[in-house]
Amino acid sequence: MEGFDGHPGTAKLAAVLSQRMKRENESPLVLDFGEIQANGSLVTNTFPIPIPKGDYSVCRSLTIGEAGKKLAETDKLGKHEHKGGQHEGHTDGDGAHTHEGGSHSHTVLVPEKMRSLKAGDRVLVAWVQNEAVVVDMIVKS
């Protein structure tokens, strides 16, 4: 059997490529919505059977910790200013002040919008082959 260019095998290669493209076009949904259940399992819109915690993956940014818990500690040497909000020993006005010399630090807390997943969270799920991967939380606009 010869292909359209006169080379045997060209038709066979074209058939293989055609079959692969057809399979790709028939592939299942890649993105999905889901919800984290009370026991930590995941239920998605297209796969309503709970996927147990540990049997699906979560992007690292969704594992930071609980809102209000310590995320990091900053360190600053020498002169600098703080603007906005109250600060230990400086509660008047907008909180702006300057430190001279010595080390100075602040505790940075996990904000609500960056917290780890919890029960009831709506999530965006990417299906990677047969594995569900929670990409991010979905919030109202």
Side-chain angles (χ1 to χ4, degrees):
M1 170 190 229
E2 286 188 35
F4 63 90
D5 64 354
H7 290 76
T10 303
K12 187 174 182 177
L13 175 62
V16 168
L17 291 174
S18 177
Q19 288 174 355
R20 284 203 177 164
M21 287 187 289
K22 184 178 177 186
R23 265 187 295 176
E24 288 297 319
N25 289 335
E26 293 172 350
S27 67
L29 180 67
V30 177
L31 293 177
D32 200 355
F33 290 113
E35 186 173 318
I36 304 299
Q37 305 300 298
N39 63 1
S41 64
L42 170 67
V43 174
T44 70
N45 289 359
T46 60
F47 191 74
I49 299 167
I51 303 167
K53 185 175 183 176
D55 287 353
Y56 62 91
S57 295
V58 177
C59 286
R60 179 184 54 175
S61 62
L62 296 172
T63 64
I64 290 176
E66 294 178 40
K69 297 288 184 176
K70 182 178 174 180
L71 173 64
E73 190 78 25
T74 65
D75 227 358
K76 182 74 174 175
L77 297 174
K79 184 177 180 179
H80 62 281
E81 291 186 3
H82 299 272
K83 297 208 188 273
Q86 295 183 348
H87 178 65
E88 182 180 322
H90 302 276
T91 57
D92 295 333
D94 67 359
H97 61 280
T98 302
H99 295 275
E100 296 286 345
S103 177
H104 179 78
S105 66
H106 286 277
T107 298
V108 179
L109 304 178
V110 176
E112 176 63 25
K113 288 185 176 185
M114 290 178 59
R115 67 169 168 75
S116 295
L117 293 173
K118 65 181 182 181
D121 285 342
R122 295 261 311 137
V123 294
L124 177 65
V125 177
W127 287 96
V128 181
Q129 296 169 349
N130 293 330
E131 183 175 357
V133 179
V134 177
V135 176
D136 208 348
M137 284 186 267
I138 303 298
V139 296
K140 296 283 184 191
S141 61

